[in-house]
Amino acid sequence: MITVGIVGGTGYTGVELLRLLLRHPNVQVNVLTSRTENCRRVDDMFPSLRGHTDLQYSDLNIDELKKCDVVFFATPHGVAMKHAAELVAANTKVIDLAADFRLQNLEQFEKWYGLEHACPDILKDSVYGLSELNRDKIKNANVIGNPGCYPTTVQLGLAPLFKQAEALVKPESIIIDAKSGVSGAGRKASLGMIYSENADNFKAYGVAGHRHHPEIVEALENISGLKDVFNHILFVPHLVPMIRGMLSTIYVDLTDAGDAADLQSLYEQFYANEQFVDVMPANSSPETRSVRGANQLRIALYKPQPKKLIVLSVQDNLVKGAAGQAVQNMNLMFGFAENAGLAGIGLLP
């Protein structure tokens, strides 16, 4: 049994993380912080947790966090890096669900997040927490940068194509057309997030540039071993009027070798032993509701014409795209079964 702290327990990601950890057989959540809800019972704010926990929110106390085996940061960007060094020195592991440890390129981090990194030495030793691709490194890590939700769909959607000896894809051709539910914007008061602004509406955002673009580029470079070929990929996110869910439609130009390859078999074999990645039969249509509440990502492939591939990738942005993946990383770090606390089935309808 390990002890856990959650910093930032009132947002959608934080409460989703708590929901998963409360049913984890190897975890005791001891600390749950909030800047604004000190001493309030968590089940008062989130009645769905009534009968499952007696936890109260508390102010952030670094000495209390240092008593935990692992601390999750479900906080705005810039919080985790202020405390990571002190926690690591106390042998407390850190899993950050924000962006503080996602990008190794400090220049890109400062450009897109407007922050000077507070602990570049810790960043250098941190591990990017995409469980399926970095499993061995995650097992030995002290600090994990949990991937962004959009980058998770893209990396798992494209990884089989770039892990081959032959060039199957023209990297510069990649177009990512991605859609997310409104919970991806967080649980905060904002005019653009209110019901009357989003219901019966569908819009693109971040078209001129989105902070997940450099994360996608850096991650694909690490997956493929290729440099300076992904900078011109196109990534456009969209907001759809649903609470949970994310779908990325990825368009790719194939090389001659890629066109001749059995890509369906390639994907099925690549993810054959991955319990949280489901490669669906060819020409399927994965739906966001099929993964609602589950730590599952589903992929389907289409070849509408020669040398063209369409990859469809769906997940729950709060689970596999955030809290579920964080728990999956924790399981790897502490030697638990990788699916511990994550065996839930998607909710339908």
Side-chain angles (χ1 to χ4, degrees):
M1 185 72 68
I2 64 169
T3 56
V4 169
I6 301 173
V7 179
T10 59
Y12 292 134
T13 299
V15 74
E16 186 70 1
L17 182 60
L18 179 60
R19 180 181 74 88
L20 296 174
L21 291 174
L22 286 175
R23 62 187 185 187
H24 196 293
N26 307 112
V27 163
Q28 175 68 48
V29 180
N30 284 356
V31 181
L32 185 67
T33 81
S34 169
R35 292 174 298 172
T36 58
E37 303 296 338
N38 185 33
C39 295
R40 185 177 180 180
R41 283 178 60 102
V42 65
D43 59 4
D44 179 48
M45 177 170 283
F46 297 105
S48 61
L49 298 179
R50 283 180 58 83
H52 298 281
T53 180
D54 295 323
L55 278 169
Q56 292 184 341
Y57 292 111
S58 61
D59 285 334
L60 192 158
N61 183 319
I62 193 66
D63 291 326
E64 291 300 313
L65 292 176
K66 287 193 291 186
K67 297 176 184 177
C68 297
D69 294 300
V70 60
V71 172
F72 294 87
F73 284 85
T75 50
H77 312 300
V79 177
M81 63 183 179
K82 294 178 182 177
H83 304 287
E86 192 169 355
L87 290 171
V88 170
N91 294 317
T92 297
K93 295 182 183 293
V94 172
I95 301 176
D96 180 32
L97 283 79
D100 295 13
F101 299 99
R102 289 177 186 167
L103 288 171
Q104 288 293 325
N105 187 315
L106 288 173
E107 182 179 346
Q108 288 293 314
F109 175 80
E110 292 172 7
K111 172 184 176 181
W112 287 96
Y113 292 94
L115 300 167
E116 182 178 354
H117 207 285
C119 55
D121 53 333
I122 300 291
L123 172 65
K124 184 179 178 181
D125 293 329
S126 68
V127 174
Y128 188 70
L130 191 60
S131 306
E132 286 75 13
L133 302 182
N134 293 329
R135 185 172 282 113
D136 290 339
K137 292 181 179 179
I138 291 167
K139 290 178 180 179
N140 298 309
N142 290 316
V143 176
I144 294 290
N146 219 54
C149 47
Y150 285 123
T152 297
T153 63
V154 175
Q155 291 171 77
L156 293 178
L158 292 177
L161 299 172
F162 288 109
K163 285 292 190 180
Q164 309 305 311
E166 272 190 302
L168 304 181
V169 171
K170 298 178 180 178
E172 69 280 359
S173 73
I174 297 171
I175 298 173
I176 304 153
D177 180 21
K179 291 94 174 172
S180 176
V182 295
S183 61
R187 187 175 181 264
K188 58 183 181 293
S190 169
L191 177 62
M193 292 295 107
I194 64 175
Y195 179 80
S196 56
E197 295 291 325
N198 284 287
D200 302 318
N201 192 33
F202 177 38
K203 64 182 179 182
Y205 65 98
V207 180
H210 189 279
R211 57 183 54 170
H212 282 177
H213 185 277
E215 182 182 346
I216 290 170
V217 169
E218 185 172 285
L220 290 178
E221 288 182 344
N222 291 333
I223 290 169
S224 67
L226 302 173
K227 300 295 180 183
D228 301 321
V229 296
F230 295 105
N231 293 323
H232 298 295
I233 63 175
L234 296 178
F235 166 61
V236 180
H238 301 73
L239 189 66
V240 296
M242 62 183 181
I243 298 171
R244 291 173 179 253
M246 178 169 286
L247 186 153
S248 289
T249 303
I250 308 169
Y251 303 91
V252 178
D253 287 346
L254 299 171
T255 63
D256 289 338
D259 197 40
D262 184 346
L263 299 180
Q264 181 70 28
S265 294
L266 173 68
Y267 272 72
E268 290 174 356
Q269 293 170 17
F270 189 88
Y271 289 120
N273 298 316
E274 296 296 346
Q275 57 191 312
F276 296 123
V277 181
D278 175 25
V279 179
M280 301 180 69
N283 301 324
S284 298
S285 294
E287 301 179 19
T288 58
R289 66 176 187 162
S290 75
V291 294
R292 183 182 174 93
N295 193 56
Q296 192 85 35
L297 182 138
R298 290 201 161 96
I299 295 171
L301 306 179
Y302 282 80
K303 280 190 68 178
Q305 55 186 274
K307 293 193 174 182
K308 296 287 185 180
L309 177 68
I310 299 175
V311 181
L312 303 177
S313 179
V314 303
Q315 68 178 5
D316 186 323
N317 56 291
L318 292 179
V319 189
K320 184 58 176 168
Q325 182 139 260
V327 173
Q328 193 177 346
N329 286 326
M330 179 199 72
N331 288 339
L332 290 169
M333 295 168 84
F334 288 93
F336 303 142
E338 196 166 332
N339 66 350
L342 297 172
I345 298 172
L347 303 175
L348 189 69

